[in-house]
Amino acid sequence: MNANRPRRIPALNKTLLGMALVALCTASQAADKVKIGFVSTLSGPSSALGVDIRDGFLLSVKLHGGKLGGLPAEVLVSDDQFKPEVARQLFERNVKRDHVDFMTGVVFSNIMLAALPEAIDNKTIYLSPNAAPSSMAGKDCNPLFFAVSWPNDAYHEAAGAFANQRGLKSVYLVAPNYQAGKDSLAGFKRTFKGQVIGENYTKLGQLDYAAELAEIRAAKPQVLYAFLPGGMGINFIKQFVGAGLGKETMLLLPGFSADQDVIGPVGPAMAGLFNTAHWSPDFANPANQRFVAEFQKEYKRMPTLYASQGYDTAELINAAVRDTKGKLEDQEAVRRALRSAKFDSVRGPFRFNKNQYPIQSYYVRTIGSDGKGGLVNKSFNEPILKDHGDAYVQQCMMPK
């Protein structure tokens, strides 16, 4: 055989070569749409939280003309029913059957921790619009997990700092008995310099607090700090006021326990209460002004911080898809684009720490008149914690 003669490629090898070339071309092309699996608590006593996250997220998509990053956006919305096993099944369906590009939506840490492995094990990025447990900030940090909200401890660290600023010396603490509840009280105790004279972990979803309020009355703290999201917080505050405890003990709250979804059901008793948050409806930055105005126009109600987090999560996805030119198959490029956080957050300056948790400022808010016969949160001008990270980042071994 002539050594210089071109070697014939067998038909099968030609076919394989062609397939490989097609695959290479496909990998470098932009996707034709972006698919997001959105799983949240959309029914039951705590559904207002998930509904607000959903509505904020979908508002961002609508304002981008039904697209994110220039690609048509398909958002698959599901209700976890406040049940970890249901959330896990929905995650599995979204990542394995629907082949979504991103997962998001979950409100509660226990539900997210149960479902998250379905996303991580199947190499799907999860962007958390709320739940951000301490374990995921530290030893269990993961390149596919981004917390777009705030570390579980942060609001409570801010509340402890505010209690110090007010000269309060004794506190009683209340939170539900699950990961976020434990993180919340750990955060308050991390910054508070006074004495903790009582600490009570209640049942998750509990709505009757007569026994706890009796213990608080007996303890006589200067301040009561209560982390009770959703229907839990609504019932607790009503019962706290009804028991007349506000005359002898200051009630201090994290922002989500004193937001619009709580103010409405509780009513005038919320006036004058202090709370801590990373966002407020009166922030003057242009992104927030547009968000608040468009949310009220679309849904005929004032947005909560949950809605702001849902909106920002969609804005972050929009920026990442835009900056990767829609090449979603290149997951490392998508991660880099997410980490750069090149979007205008409604909260103002925002960046990710090396554990992919936010570095941002936290503010004290007080509830006052909206000038229309209602109540709304108003923020203090200076943050109580400025450019604040989290206490667990040094335990995260994730490379940059």
Side-chain angles (χ1 to χ4, degrees), residues 344-393:
D344 293 326
S345 170
V346 297
R347 73 199 77 184
F350 167 95
R351 70 183 190 275
F352 282 117
N353 211 333
K354 72 172 187 177
N355 58 358
Q356 297 175 176
Y357 272 57
I359 296 175
Q360 60 193 355
S361 295
Y362 297 86
Y363 298 79
V364 177
R365 308 188 305 182
T366 186
I367 299 170
S369 172
D370 64 0
K372 303 174 184 177
L375 295 172
V376 69
N377 273 290
K378 300 177 180 181
S379 60
F380 289 22
N381 288 329
E382 293 300 318
I384 191 75
L385 295 177
K386 185 176 176 60
D387 297 331
H388 187 65
D390 62 86
Y392 307 98
V393 64

Side-chain angles (χ1 to χ4, degrees), residues 32-55:
D32 58 357
K33 65 179 176 180
V34 55
K35 292 182 72 173
I36 298 112
F38 186 101
V39 176
S40 199
T41 302
L42 303 173
S43 60
S46 298
S47 61
L49 316 185
V51 167
D52 273 2
I53 294 172
R54 179 199 65 191
D55 289 353

Side-chain angles (χ1 to χ4, degrees), residues 51-131:
V51 167
D52 273 2
I53 294 172
R54 179 199 65 191
D55 289 353
F57 191 97
L58 294 179
L59 176 64
S60 170
V61 175
K62 180 176 181 178
L63 293 178
H64 288 291
K67 298 180 179 181
L68 290 175
L71 294 180
E74 182 179 356
V75 185
L76 307 176
V77 177
S78 302
D79 179 13
D80 63 36
Q81 303 171 40
F82 198 40
K83 297 176 181 177
E85 65 276 13
V86 173
R88 187 168 58 249
Q89 292 165 5
L90 293 170
F91 267 57
E92 181 181 19
R93 185 179 73 186
N94 281 168
V95 299
K96 290 183 178 179
R97 188 194 73 180
D98 302 320
H99 304 294
V100 298
D101 301 297
F102 304 95
M103 288 295 301
T104 189
V106 179
V107 177
F108 296 94
S109 293
N110 62 321
I111 293 177
M112 190 202 72
L113 289 172
L116 183 62
E118 294 293 342
I120 300 301
D121 293 348
N122 289 282
K123 305 296 186 291
T124 303
I125 292 171
Y126 181 77
L127 298 107
S128 180
N130 193 61

Side-chain angles (χ1 to χ4, degrees), residues 6-257:
R7 191 174 167 211
R8 184 181 178 190
I9 301 175
L12 179 59
N13 286 355
K14 285 183 177 180
T15 300
L16 292 173
L17 179 61
M19 291 173 63
L21 290 172
V22 169
L24 286 171
C25 292
T26 302
S28 65
Q29 292 175 350
D32 58 357
K33 65 179 176 180
V34 55
K35 292 182 72 173
I36 298 112
F38 186 101
V39 176
S40 199
T41 302
L42 303 173
S43 60
S46 298
S47 61
L49 316 185
V51 167
D52 273 2
I53 294 172
R54 179 199 65 191
D55 289 353
F57 191 97
L58 294 179
L59 176 64
S60 170
V61 175
K62 180 176 181 178
L63 293 178
H64 288 291
K67 298 180 179 181
L68 290 175
L71 294 180
E74 182 179 356
V75 185
L76 307 176
V77 177
S78 302
D79 179 13
D80 63 36
Q81 303 171 40
F82 198 40
K83 297 176 181 177
E85 65 276 13
V86 173
R88 187 168 58 249
Q89 292 165 5
L90 293 170
F91 267 57
E92 181 181 19
R93 185 179 73 186
N94 281 168
V95 299
K96 290 183 178 179
R97 188 194 73 180
D98 302 320
H99 304 294
V100 298
D101 301 297
F102 304 95
M103 288 295 301
T104 189
V106 179
V107 177
F108 296 94
S109 293
N110 62 321
I111 293 177
M112 190 202 72
L113 289 172
L116 183 62
E118 294 293 342
I120 300 301
D121 293 348
N122 289 282
K123 305 296 186 291
T124 303
I125 292 171
Y126 181 77
L127 298 107
S128 180
N130 193 61
S134 59
S135 59
M136 295 300 299
K139 60 183 178 61
D140 296 330
C141 64
N142 190 288
L144 298 177
F145 179 84
F146 288 81
V148 193
S149 52
W150 43 276
N152 271 3
D153 302 32
Y155 276 23
H156 321 294
E157 291 169 338
F162 178 64
N164 295 334
Q165 189 182 84
R166 300 279 291 192
L168 300 168
K169 303 298 183 184
S170 65
V171 65
Y172 193 103
L173 303 173
V174 178
N177 189 17
Y178 77 119
Q179 186 62 53
K182 295 172 183 177
D183 288 344
S184 70
L185 300 194
F188 189 94
K189 290 185 284 187
R190 185 174 296 120
T191 55
F192 182 60
K193 296 178 181 178
Q195 181 184 6
V196 177
I197 61 174
E199 191 169 343
N200 197 318
Y201 288 97
T202 66
K203 182 180 178 181
L204 184 61
Q206 181 175 324
L207 298 177
D208 184 355
Y209 296 96
E212 288 79 8
L213 291 170
E215 292 178 13
I216 294 164
R217 187 186 298 278
K220 298 181 179 178
Q222 284 184 289
V223 59
L224 168 65
Y225 184 68
F227 161 78
L228 293 163
M232 293 178 284
I234 292 168
N235 280 268
F236 182 86
I237 295 168
K238 285 182 176 179
Q239 292 165 39
F240 174 87
V241 173
L245 282 170
K247 299 173 184 177
E248 39 195 84
T249 298
M250 174 184 172
L251 179 59
L252 178 60
L253 301 164
F256 48 80
S257 292

